[in-house]
Amino acid sequence: MTAKLVVQGLSHHYPDEYTGVSVHALDDINLEVNDGEFVAIVGPSGCGKTTLLNILAGLLRYREGNATVDGKKIDGPGPDRGVVFQEHAILPWRTVAGNIGHGLELQKIPRQERQDRVAEYIELVGLVGFEDRYPHELSGGMKQRCAVARTLCADPEIMLMDEPFAAVDAQTRITLQEELIRIAIATKKTILFITHAVDEAAFLGDRCFVFSRRPGRLRETVHINIPRAERNWGDIAANPEFVRARDRILALVREEVIADDR
Amino acid sequence: MNALTKFSLLVQGRFGRKRLRRIGLGSIPFIFLLTLWQMNTTFEWLAPVFIPSIGGVIDAIFILQSDCGGVWDILSLDNTCLMTTHILSSIGRVLLAAVIGIPLGIIFGILAGMNRLISTVLEPVGVFANSISGIAWVPLAIVWFGVGWMTTLFIMLNTVFWLMFFNAMLGTRGIAKVYEQSVLTLGGSRWNIFIQVYLPGAMPSIITGMRMSLGFGWRALIAAEMIGGDSGLGFMIFTAAEEFNVEQVFLGVIVISIIYLATDHYLLGPLEKWTIHRWGLTWKPT
Ligand SMILES: Nc1ncnc2c1ncn2[C@@H]1O[C@H](COP(=O)(O)OP(=O)(O)O)[C@@H](O)[C@H]1O
Ligand SMILES: [Mg+2]
């Protein structure tokens, strides 16, 4: 397997305009994500997960270290990397279909082809019948499905997902997680999935990077050797590999939380 | 079911219950005022030189239009059709100022909202221009442009442009950053973001800006026409007042408010419905 995404010695400081004291958000991150791999990143809130994702998306400039996709240095956003944001980021003034087809529209794909692809992804995320609705008419879970479909439909090579299911209810979250596995099987995309939920990380990831408290460092990589076809909530809870991985991630996260209390 | 109930149901079905209710409730103050007005005439509280009769005001229309030779004379702003000439002249000026001032104000406002440099340059002069409210420019404008449409246009543009500018700028600044970021990651350019994120995202403020600038612009126009105009409703009211023709003064005031109400109802209302209501960007009373 080849490394799709490589991060070397990446650190980030946010300058503070008022106090003059800079916030040290990321510290010397080194990691690789392989082509077609599903990687989860877990870490306590405020540890720099969103910062890392914004850098990889090309939305945030970085000076210390290096980040490359297919050997090319990341310098600004690009169609090879799609992002599903932490907040609901679909445009309120576009319909579901308009949002999902937005990437294709910007790529100037002809209308007919666009409509076909949009219909395909609406089907994939289960939003059939809601094509002409506006986001304010959708539930939180449906909005997030729409956001996922929008990113998928633009056909990026890498999907960067920032706690996309954090704001939806438990029931919907389980469904969305299983759907995402299905999508990963169907599209073979490289996925980097940020979360603070340990279960979610162990359920979704082929590997899981556990981050320390701020400044975020990569503490440990946990491997989760479970075939994608076996990843559904009905069976996985009894899978010893899942239990082992989850407990390991949980232990690491708890150490961070305990360290925080001291 | 008697005939009256049937008729009432027919009317309700045709216009919609809710809408009828709204129109009905909204009319109460007007009906109250009209009643008071008629009572004043009937009981002769104040003499007709101060408050004319309703009939007198309606007669004023016919007096002003007395020699009017039909549609062609109205449209060619013939001096025989005085009232329509004044109305069309005022509306024309509002339209001209709106067509120039609103788009320019939106464009520069959004640019200032997205770009620090532009806002740093334009904000102080905007605050300066807004502090000198429309009417205070009249004496200077008359010196510069003389009496006529250039003066009124200048006054109105000063009002319309800056109100649009500030509203569009604040609206743009209030848009969540994540919308812009998401369009960027989908492959959007700066231009795409201007049209697809900032313009619709700032729409609630832009519509507020349009309400304000048409309202204040219309008032500024009337004032400007009174002092620096050679036609228009403001001019009509002013000349009528000089001749102690209260009927025409009343007529002018009523026509002005009717035109403004109509603009708000038939232009801004639908625009609001078509954009921000549809997108769920407004608070809706339940
Ligand atoms: N734009 C910013 N300016 C200054 N500090 C920031 C900014 N964004 C994030 N931070 C700080 O950087 C740290 C990491 O933030 P973030 O990457 O959002 O964490 P996470 O996504 O893991 O919760 C936090 O302490 C946060 O307060
Ligand atoms: Mg975050």
Side-chain angles (χ1 to χ4, degrees):
Chain A
M1 265 199 275
T2 51
K4 182 90 185 155
L5 180 74
V6 178
V7 175
Q8 289 165 320
L10 183 72
S11 298
H12 191 79
H13 296 261
Y14 284 106
D16 191 310
E17 284 179 36
Y18 302 103
T19 60
V21 185
S22 66
V23 177
H24 193 182
L26 288 174
D27 187 46
D28 192 25
I29 304 290
N30 293 284
L31 56 84
E32 290 188 358
V33 179
N34 295 321
D35 200 1
E37 197 179 16
F38 198 134
V39 169
I41 293 183
V42 180
S45 92
C47 77
K49 303 182 297 292
T50 298
T51 305
L52 175 65
L53 183 124
N54 280 342
I55 289 175
L56 298 179
L59 294 169
L60 188 62
R61 292 192 177 283
Y62 58 100
R63 281 192 224 94
E64 305 152 74
N66 200 15
T68 60
V69 173
D70 290 329
K72 278 212 308 283
K73 192 172 160 71
I74 291 173
D75 178 26
D80 53 338
R81 283 152 291 139
V83 183
V84 181
F85 292 88
Q86 191 166 359
E87 312 100 292
H88 299 308
I90 50 174
L91 302 182
W93 40 89
R94 281 182 170 248
T95 60
V96 167
N99 267 296
I100 295 177
H102 200 171
L104 300 179
E105 202 181 304
L106 293 169
Q107 291 165 27
K108 304 208 166 52
I109 305 286
R111 177 181 286 268
Q112 190 52 51
E113 190 187 338
R114 204 164 76 212
Q115 282 172 347
D116 293 347
R117 293 252 303 269
V118 169
E120 191 183 310
Y121 283 96
I122 283 177
E123 174 97 49
L124 184 75
V125 296
L127 284 174
V128 175
F130 291 90
E131 292 85 348
D132 298 325
R133 296 295 184 85
Y134 284 87
H136 74 106
E137 300 169 294
L138 306 180
S139 70
M142 290 160 91
K143 276 185 207 163
Q144 242 6 358
R145 272 182 220 178
C146 179
V148 172
R150 174 177 73 167
T151 308
L152 277 171
C153 190
D155 200 21
E157 291 162 33
I158 303 176
M159 296 256 291
L160 304 167
M161 306 180 78
D162 191 0
E163 306 196 26
F165 308 149
V168 299
D169 62 280
Q171 198 72 47
T172 312
R173 183 155 53 236
I174 286 172
T175 321
L176 289 175
Q177 287 162 349
E178 289 183 338
E179 272 175 30
L180 189 58
I181 287 292
R182 204 159 46 72
I183 288 166
I185 295 171
T187 63
K188 300 188 178 65
K189 291 202 186 301
T190 308
I191 302 176
L192 191 69
F193 188 100
I194 289 173
T195 176
H196 61 248
V198 174
D199 275 22
E200 187 169 67
F203 177 79
L204 291 171
D206 301 325
R207 281 193 296 157
C208 174
F209 298 145
V210 183
F211 274 43
S212 70
R213 286 171 306 127
R214 200 186 79 208
R217 294 191 190 92
L218 176 52
R219 274 210 58 182
E220 194 172 311
T221 306
V222 178
H223 292 260
I224 306 135
N225 290 313
I226 304 173
R228 291 211 177 130
E230 290 171 27
R231 291 177 188 246
N232 60 74
W233 282 110
D235 302 335
I236 209 162
N239 188 326
E241 173 68 1
F242 173 76
V243 175
R244 183 200 60 80
R246 186 193 59 193
D247 290 352
R248 181 68 197 139
I249 299 168
L250 190 60
L252 290 164
V253 170
R254 283 186 65 175
E255 276 174 40
E256 287 303 324
V257 176
I258 291 163
D260 203 21
D261 286 343
R262 263 203 307 247
Chain B
M1 214 192 299
N2 62 31
L4 198 64
T5 324
K6 259 190 202 152
F7 176 74
S8 152
L9 283 177
L10 188 80
V11 173
Q12 287 182 16
R14 173 76 181 75
F15 294 103
R17 266 187 80 99
K18 271 204 177 133
R19 216 174 124 213
L20 271 182
R21 202 178 124 85
R22 219 182 51 222
I23 295 171
L25 288 174
S27 310
I28 290 175
F30 291 106
I31 292 168
F32 178 72
L33 280 177
L34 275 175
T35 314
L36 218 62
W37 186 5
Q38 185 52 52
M39 278 165 74
N40 176 71
T41 308
T42 315
F43 301 114
E44 293 173 12
W45 291 330
L46 282 169
V49 284
F50 299 117
I51 296 184
S53 68
I54 295 178
V57 172
I58 292 169
D59 282 344
I61 302 175
F62 294 102
I63 294 168
L64 282 164
Q65 296 288 91
S66 55
D67 299 322
C68 193
V71 179
W72 179 245
D73 282 0
I74 290 177
L75 290 179
S76 58
L77 303 183
D78 197 277
N79 269 338
T80 51
C81 315
L82 264 178
M83 189 177 83
T84 48
T85 298
H86 287 314
I87 290 177
L88 289 177
S89 139
S90 283
I91 290 181
R93 284 172 176 153
V94 174
L95 267 181
L96 185 65
V99 163
I100 299 173
I102 290 177
L104 278 179
I106 292 175
I107 291 170
F108 280 95
I110 292 178
L111 286 175
M114 23 190 317
N115 187 302
R116 259 279 160 67
L117 186 71
I118 297 177
S119 74
T120 317
V121 172
L122 289 182
E123 251 193 275
V125 68
V127 174
F128 171 78
N130 261 0
S131 71
I132 308 163
S133 61
I135 186 74
W137 283 106
V138 173
L140 259 187
I142 291 177
V143 174
W144 291 341
F145 306 113
V147 167
W149 70 274
M150 270 295 280
T151 290
T152 50
L153 181 66
F154 174 80
I155 306 288
M156 290 194 69
L157 276 183
N158 249 307
T159 309
V160 172
F161 175 83
W162 291 109
L163 279 171
M164 286 315 296
F165 172 82
F166 277 106
N167 276 287
M169 182 178 78
L170 293 177
T172 304
R173 288 197 183 146
I175 302 169
K177 205 87 200 136
V178 74
Y179 295 136
E180 175 186 344
Q181 293 184 327
S182 71
V183 176
L184 276 175
T185 59
L186 288 170
S189 61
R190 283 268 129 208
W191 169 248
N192 292 139
I193 289 170
F194 188 99
I195 297 293
Q196 296 172 3
V197 177
Y198 290 136
L199 191 60
M203 203 46 97
S205 299
I206 287 174
I207 289 176
T208 305
M210 285 165 90
R211 279 239 153 76
M212 287 171 72
S213 58
L214 285 179
F216 284 107
W218 190 232
R219 287 177 226 180
L221 172 72
I222 299 304
E225 282 175 347
M226 286 185 176
I227 310 171
D230 51 7
S231 66
L233 287 163
F235 178 77
M236 180 183 112
I237 292 173
F238 197 73
T239 43
E242 280 189 323
E243 295 160 9
F244 301 103
N245 188 337
V246 212
E247 283 84 2
Q248 279 184 27
V249 175
F250 263 67
L251 179 66
V253 171
I254 292 169
V255 169
I256 287 169
S257 27
I258 290 176
I259 294 175
Y260 185 70
L261 269 175
T263 323
D264 197 87
H265 191 80
Y266 292 103
L267 223 70
L268 295 175
L271 180 66
E272 210 163 40
K273 212 177 198 171
W274 189 244
T275 57
I276 57 184
H277 282 304
R278 198 161 54 120
W279 304 334
L281 296 182
T282 42
W283 169 82
K284 266 186 227 152
T286 44

